[in-house]
Amino acid sequence: MTEQIEFRIRRQDGPETAPYWQAFRVPWRPGHNVVSALMVLRENPETASGERVQPVAWEFNCMEEVCGACSMMVNGVPRQGCAALIDDLEQPIVLEPLAKFPVVRDLMVDRAAIFGTLQRVKAWIEIDGAWSVHQGAPRISPQEWLENYHYSQCMSCGCCLAACPQYGPGNDFVGPNALAQVRLMNAHPTGRYNRTERLHAIMAEGGLSDCGNAQNCVRVCPKEIPLTTAIGELGREVTLQLARDLFGKS
Amino acid sequence: MRRVIVIGGGLGGLWATLRIAEAGFRVALFSLFEVKRSHSVCAQGGINASLDTKGQRDSIWQHFVDTIKGGSYLANQPPVKSMCDEAPGLIQTFERMGVTFSRTPEGIMDLRLFGGVRNKRTVFAGASTGQQLLYGVDEQVRRLEAAGEVEKREWWEFLSIVRDDQGVCRGIVAMDLKRMEVKAFPADVVVLATGGLGQIYAPKTTNSTNSTGAAASRVFQQGALFANGEFFQFHPTAMLGDDKTRLMSEAARGEGGRIWVPKDPSDQRPPNDIPERERFYFLEEWYPTYGNTAARDVASRAIWKAVRDMGMGVGGEDKVYLDLTHLDPKFVELRLGAILRIYRKFHGSDPVTEPMEIFPAAHYAMGGLWVDYEKNEESGGLSCGSTRNHATTVPGLYACGECDYGYHGANRLGANSLLSASFSGRAAGEAVVSYLKGLEPGSDSVPLSRAFEGEVQRQQAINRSLMVSRGGENAYALHRELGELMTDRVGVVRDNRQLDQAFGELKALEERAERIDLGEASGWANQTLSYARQVRDMIQLAQVVARGAQERDECRGAHYKPEFELEIPQGKFPGDPEFEVYRQAWKENNRKWLKSTIARYTPDGPEVRFETVDTTILPPEQPRDYR
Ligand SMILES: Cc1cc2nc3c(=O)[nH]c(=O)nc-3n(C[C@H](O)[C@H](O)[C@H](O)COP(=O)(O)OP(=O)(O)OC[C@H]3O[C@@H](n4cnc5c(N)ncnc54)[C@H](O)[C@@H]3O)c2cc1C
Ligand code: SF4
Ligand code: SF4
Ligand code: FES
């Protein structure tokens, strides 16, 4: 008999229905990750006890840990299913939908809130238009580039939000990923021009001061983004901004 | 008010959206999922623009020449010229958007060398260029979304266009991927930017799951023409996987990686235990000058030959070693860190101490929806803003990004497709703006409700029949069979007997796909339903690829039919009589075959004709020669 991978998957047929658990077995193959094993399972979805069920719904696209689609709780930890190698995981492997987000179906969640927040903090550079102006942006030193590059790899996967004790339904904390984007945009040589607006956005309710500094976020970010460093830097910027606001300078 | 629909939120679609919305037209942007997760994020290497900041006197002309020759002259030259001309300005625009391009010590954008060219011309952002570029335009589109100028319809799948009595595209029908509801969306103009079609070779493809080509296939089946389908680039070194095969960049070979197989294919020993003399370094043996750094297509064919023709694959499987273990670990870590990380993460072993296992994989579709252009006779490039640029054969329907065929001819130069996706998106956007400005006032109010109702009903009927069908065929298994068949018979190496057989098998698959059993009855977020529909459309598109390959009796770029190969005489160069004889034969062959393949849908299978290529800027005098 071939070796089997044991799964316990939390299922939910729709946003309003109650969750339930099912156990599955998938034949082991070298190199399997959670997504590739789920792909095998969907072809012939049968529980461990041989009951034919509806296939497990989940999201994925790149299978290279760069699109951010396949976030889920794997053995209780928010991470990308495509980069979770079966051989590194304790079995039965427990899969649950990404915490903090409304379930759509099974392991599919609705992460629209992430993108709404990016609007709220104005995570973009103001440009006159997407046409050529016959010059680029001002220079950026390699050191500064390296710091910025850490933050620009955020794929809005939501893992940090799933882990953050402050983030969740019923409160409007923007979350570490959005704060890191403010840090990134404020560092850009022309992004700086709109620094004040972004800072004001995170000085409002649900902003920076909601962070309890629990450091959970950095521990789970698959891109190893130094989220708490960004939060620290923003703390100082916000203090300066408060002073500027007080003295009526922008 | 004019209504514009853009389908696809990769680089192509987002650029089109930006330009249209900036011109004051509101855009509805459709995508299978949040646009930020589009396949464009996978690109690692970089994007070409002749910035000439490395003291090599690189020029836009040289970029143009490399692109045209790399594509074996099969690309129409005016669009390529404009793309190369505008590349530097486009990169600067990305930079203004905040894209974190890697820097030189002076703080300007750095350039790296990429395959197939002599000059450093590739701008990059660490090892995640595609991701960074996509985020740049994604943020700009979000800015316009916040301003109410763009409305996103994420989690909506495009199913079909709606045409009026004159055949003009007047909107689309799409399916909400949560409610599974089918709905019509009227529009004055539609842009398709739905990406590539590598999934027809799954799992041996580097492409994401969104790259099915299903959307392009749907408009093809509704009358749009599809060009150069047979031209598919296979990347020689992709790491193996059951879900997908992940790209291992050329750099691994460039920095000294060696490709080999055990001399005895039944050798069971782990690679490190196989002594040097029992290894077959076939690239080094067959191509003494270039060895392991042979061009992409040459390397893919060599691996194919060793594994499939000679049966030398490791353990009898589709597998050869890409070995870095002889190199200094510190050097490897420094130069190839990104590759090492991917391999360790997804394979679990360490390439520094154990050879990687790789095989060629379908990587980039040069072919795509046929699109028009208007040439500016003065500059030789595009006539900017002409309504003809990027227009498909269906009036009111435009295409850009990997789903068009415009910029790469018979083969694509590395780092040229992020450029073509971005440039074509912008060019299509500008064409659409002209198209909208030229529309008769009031043409948007023509009542078309019957056309829309009819199309919605047709699509609903397809869903219903799939929901109740108990034909016993499994959509996932069909897709796997499709991928295997395409890999085996319409892949790296082609021959007519195999292609005839492939065609028969595709027809059989098409027929079986009529009897798909979803095994799932849910009316909510039913992924199998959407998948099954995509599989059917992939089978249609695969026929276009196979038919083009069948018809084209020559070797050109990525299309390789050894029976018709014209070989450059060894050791002979321009001026040598033997070379000139070859050049004449090559020109003779061009007279017959330097033509775009144009496929038209018929229910019995695609019909193909050939179309002349505009080669007025750089006439085909110099064969591609990488010696
Ligand atoms: C691994 C890898 C590495 C690469 N590296 C490089 C590189 O270094 N340099 C380079 O120049 N090129 C590279 N390429 C190629 C390049 O990434 C692609 O050609 C390019 O990103 C394609 O962009 P696109 O906008 O056309 O499509 P995509 O980014 O694929 O976007 C397609 C969009 O269409 C949407 N869509 C598809 N179907 C539907 C539908 N039916 N309904 C609604 N929406 C739909 C999707 O949701 C998605 O938003 C690489 C490709 C791969 C696979
Ligand atoms: S440090 Fe702040 S943002 Fe990060 S997990 Fe803790 S509370 Fe959340
Ligand atoms: S900061 Fe990290 S964990 Fe959070 S969304 Fe971005 S990539 Fe994901
Ligand atoms: S599928 Fe893209 S991150 Fe896992």
Side-chain angles (χ1 to χ4, degrees), chain B residues 134-150:
Chain B
L134 186 87
Y135 292 0
V137 266
D138 175 59
E139 285 152 13
Q140 293 305 317
V141 167
R142 187 164 299 107
R143 175 173 68 85
L144 296 175
E145 192 187 5
E149 287 155 36
V150 172

Side-chain angles (χ1 to χ4, degrees), chain A residues 158-195:
Chain A
C159 288
C160 56
L161 298 172
C164 171
Q166 298 302 109
Y167 182 84
N171 95 31
D172 55 3
F173 179 39
V174 292
N177 61 321
L179 292 171
Q181 291 307 298
V182 170
R183 147 73 183 75
L184 173 66
M185 300 299 154
N186 282 4
H188 186 265
T190 64
R192 247 166 239 159
Y193 301 168
N194 303 85
R195 180 184 60 179

Side-chain angles (χ1 to χ4, degrees), chain A residues 43 63 65 105 130-131 149, chain B residues 22 128 246 345 480 520:
Chain A
E43 200 172 318
M63 297 175 269
E65 204 181 46
R105 181 177 165 185
W131 44 75
Y149 183 64
Chain B
E22 278 176 349
S128 63
R246 297 171 179 88
K345 177 162 271 162
R480 209 179 34 246
E520 137 157 76

Side-chain angles (χ1 to χ4, degrees), chain B residues 82-314:
Chain B
S82 285
M83 175 177 83
C84 299
D85 283 345
E86 292 193 20
L90 198 74
I91 299 300
Q92 290 173 338
T93 309
F94 271 123
E95 193 188 24
R96 284 160 50 223
M97 293 174 180
V99 172
T100 52
F101 290 118
S102 296
R103 300 283 146 175
T104 69
E106 294 174 57
I108 62 167
M109 291 180 280
D110 203 358
L111 294 177
R112 66 159 54 129
L113 188 66
F114 233 64
V117 301
R118 265 172 312 173
N119 293 342
K120 290 189 177 174
R121 189 186 294 145
T122 305
V123 189
F124 59 103
S128 63
T129 312
Q131 185 193 24
Q132 303 306 318
L133 294 176
L134 186 87
Y135 292 0
V137 266
D138 175 59
E139 285 152 13
Q140 293 305 317
V141 167
R142 187 164 299 107
R143 175 173 68 85
L144 296 175
E145 192 187 5
E149 287 155 36
V150 172
E151 177 204 3
K152 282 192 189 140
R153 293 245 175 211
E154 291 165 329
W155 301 102
W156 280 84
E157 177 166 356
F158 163 80
L159 297 180
S160 61
I161 53 171
V162 178
R163 305 179 72 171
D164 66 15
D165 299 342
Q166 278 77 49
V168 178
C169 174
R170 302 298 295 273
I172 68 166
V173 168
M175 174 161 71
D176 179 337
L177 292 173
K178 287 171 189 160
R179 295 172 198 287
M180 310 317 282
E181 169 201 12
V182 174
K183 225 181 127 185
F185 296 87
D188 297 287
V189 60
V190 174
V191 182
L192 207 69
T194 46
L197 47 128
Q199 281 292 323
I200 66 172
Y201 289 93
K204 284 198 169 63
T205 176
T206 58
N207 287 15
S208 305
T209 49
N210 84 234
S211 309
T212 60
S217 173
R218 287 166 191 168
V219 299
F220 168 71
Q221 292 170 65
Q222 288 186 284
L225 300 182
F226 198 94
N228 289 349
E230 67 272 31
F231 293 98
F232 219 109
Q233 183 178 87
F234 294 87
H235 199 286
T237 57
M239 69 180 271
L240 303 169
D242 292 336
D243 44 353
K244 90 179 277 191
T245 54
R246 297 171 179 88
L247 181 80
M248 292 287 106
S249 127
E250 230 108 66
R253 292 186 292 136
E255 300 294 359
R258 299 178 79 189
I259 290 191
W260 62 276
V261 289
K263 282 194 175 149
D264 173 6
S266 64
D267 201 326
Q268 296 286 325
R269 288 171 294 179
N272 285 334
D273 294 351
I274 301 179
E276 212 37 44
R277 61 174 187 286
E278 292 175 40
R279 300 175 176 190
F280 180 27
Y281 293 95
F282 52 93
L283 276 172
E284 294 168 35
E285 211 163 299
W286 296 340
Y287 303 97
T289 336
Y290 274 92
N292 291 294
T293 57
R296 265 185 202 180
D297 46 353
V298 176
S300 291
R301 280 164 210 156
I303 296 172
W304 188 265
K305 177 170 154 191
V307 172
R308 290 294 185 100
D309 297 345
M310 301 169 62
M312 303 278 290
V314 178

Side-chain angles (χ1 to χ4, degrees), chain A residues 173-239:
Chain A
F173 179 39
V174 292
N177 61 321
L179 292 171
Q181 291 307 298
V182 170
R183 147 73 183 75
L184 173 66
M185 300 299 154
N186 282 4
H188 186 265
T190 64
R192 247 166 239 159
Y193 301 168
N194 303 85
R195 180 184 60 179
T196 309
E197 286 168 54
R198 290 189 208 98
L199 288 177
H200 280 160
I202 60 164
M203 285 155 71
E205 212 164 306
L208 189 68
S209 60
D210 280 19
C211 165
N213 203 17
Q215 313 260 348
N216 290 6
C217 51
V218 265
R219 280 194 285 268
V220 298
C221 173
K223 293 285 161 187
E224 295 171 20
I225 297 174
L227 296 162
T228 43
T229 310
I231 290 169
E233 285 175 33
L234 285 174
R236 288 186 290 280
E237 269 205 59
V238 160
T239 313

